[in-house]
Amino acid sequence: MIKKDYYEILGISRDASTDEIKKAYRKLALKYHPDKNKEKQAEEKFKEAAEAYDILSNPEKKKRYDKFGHSSSQGDSGGMNMEDIFTNFGDIFGDAFSFSGFSNYKKKNIKGSDLRIKVKLTLNEILKGIEKKMKVQRMKMAKGVELIFCKNCNGTGQITRVTNTILGIMHTTTTCSICGGLGKKSERLPKGVNNQGLKKKEELVSITIPPGVTEGIQLKISGKGNDAPFGNGIPGDLIVVIEEIPHEKLKREGKNLHYDLYISFPDAVLGAYEEVPTGDGKARLKIDAGTQSGKTLRLKGKGLPFLEGYGRGDLLIHIIVWTPKKLNEEQKKMFQQMKNEENFIPQKSEKSFFEKVREMFSS
C-alpha cells in the first residue's frame, strides 16, 4: 500500500515551522483521539498523524524524509502503537483529555523491558537483505498466576495524600509501594514464575533485515521483548544489533568495497583479463597493457546498497604488481638485457600517490 505524504497528512507546506508542525498535529490528534472520536477510521488517522509528526518534528528524520521519502525510515521494523504515542507525545495534549478515557490509556501504558540480541551477517546477506528466524528467550505472562486488587491503593496503583497547610489543602500522589503502580499483586505464583508473574519461554522470531545495514546498527521489532509485569500493559521491544562477518577477500568502507588484485609482471606489461570477487559473485576485469602497480580501478555499482534504497556503492580494485624474489639464469639474463632500454627506465607517474587517493575519495 502506498503511504500518504507526511506533509499532506498534517495539511502543511514543506517549509512549515516547528510550531506550525506541532499545531497541525495537535489539531488532528484532538480531532481523531479514540476516546473522543468513535468513527471506524479514527484510530488509524490518529496513528497516521502521530507517525507524520514523529518524522517531521525531528530535524534529522525530516531531513532524510525530504531527501529520500518514506524509504528513509527503512530499518525501523515497528510501527507506532497507541502506547508509544502517549508516551512520546502525551505532553502535547495538555489537559485536553483529563477525563477517564485518557487516564485509562495512561494507566495501561506500562511497558515490559526490552530485549537485545546480536545477529551476525555475511557480506552477501548485507548486500541482498535477509529474513532470519531467531530463537529468543522472552519473559512471558505465566499461566496459573492468581492476581488480586491491591488493597493498599484500591487497585489504582497510586496513593493520594491530603495535607492541610497554611496555603490550603495540598494533594500529593505517589506510586503504590506494595504493587509498584500496577494496581494488582499476586496471590499465588506457580513454580518457576518470578514475582511479576513472568516465566522465561523460548520463541521463534522472524527478523527482516533490509539491504545495506552496517556494523552496530540497531533494528527494533516492536512487541517482541518481555511482557509487562502480570501482563498488565504492553510487551517491550526486541532490539537487534547487527554484526558483520569479515569477508575473506573484500574489505568494506561504507558503501564501497575494496579488493587487492595481485598481477604478474608480464600481465602488467602485456595486459590481461582477471576475474575478481564481488559481493554477490565475480566480475571479469580488463588489465590494460602498461598498468602500473598502485593503480586503482573502479567497478561502478558493484559495492553495497544504500540503506535508504537509492543506488549502490562501488568496488575499488587496487592493482599490485608482483615482483618475483627468485629468478633462474635465463630469466636474469633476459632482464639484464632490458634493464638499460629506454622504455624500462622508470618514469614519473602522471599523478602522485596522494593525488590519486584524493581523487579516489572525491569522486
Side-chain angles (χ1 to χ4, degrees), residues 27 32 48 60 110 116 157 200 204 219 231 236 303 345 347:
K27 181 179 178 181
Y32 293 113
E48 189 179 62
E60 287 300 319
I110 299 172
R116 185 181 298 267
K200 185 174 289 187
L204 193 65
L219 307 178
I345 298 174
Q347 302 293 320

Side-chain angles (χ1 to χ4, degrees), residues 173-193:
T173 302
T174 58
T175 300
C176 177
S177 60
I178 303 299
C179 66
L182 298 175
K184 300 176 184 178
K185 62 179 184 176
S186 60
E187 187 173 48
R188 187 176 70 84
L189 292 174
K191 186 178 179 180
V193 177

Side-chain angles (χ1 to χ4, degrees), residues 245-260:
I245 301 174
H247 193 277
E248 58 179 5
K249 295 180 179 179
L250 299 171
K251 300 294 182 184
R252 178 178 183 176
E253 183 186 45
K255 302 306 172 190
N256 292 331
L257 297 174
H258 294 262
Y259 176 67
D260 290 339

Side-chain angles (χ1 to χ4, degrees), residues 37-69:
N37 192 324
K38 300 302 180 182
E39 292 180 11
K40 187 176 180 180
Q41 299 299 321
E43 185 171 321
E44 285 306 311
K45 289 182 179 294
F46 183 76
K47 292 179 181 178
E48 189 179 62
E51 182 180 336
Y53 178 72
D54 178 51
I55 298 298
L56 300 183
S57 64
N58 183 300
E60 287 300 319
K61 291 182 180 180
K62 183 178 184 295
K63 184 178 179 182
R64 290 199 301 270
Y65 176 73
D66 288 343
K67 186 174 183 181
F68 301 111

Side-chain angles (χ1 to χ4, degrees), residues 61-119:
K61 291 182 180 180
K62 183 178 184 295
K63 184 178 179 182
R64 290 199 301 270
Y65 176 73
D66 288 343
K67 186 174 183 181
F68 301 111
H70 289 295
S71 61
S72 65
S73 58
Q74 233 178 342
D76 185 357
S77 305
M80 297 197 76
N81 55 44
M82 298 298 287
E83 287 77 10
D84 287 335
I85 295 169
F86 286 118
T87 298
N88 297 330
F89 311 132
D91 60 320
I92 290 177
F93 303 117
D95 297 325
F97 293 97
S98 57
F99 49 86
S100 60
F102 182 55
S103 298
N104 288 337
Y105 259 113
K106 292 176 73 175
K107 186 176 177 181
K108 292 177 184 176
N109 195 28
I110 299 172
K111 190 173 182 180
S113 59
D114 292 341
L115 286 175
R116 185 181 298 267
I117 62 170
K118 292 182 179 180
V119 174

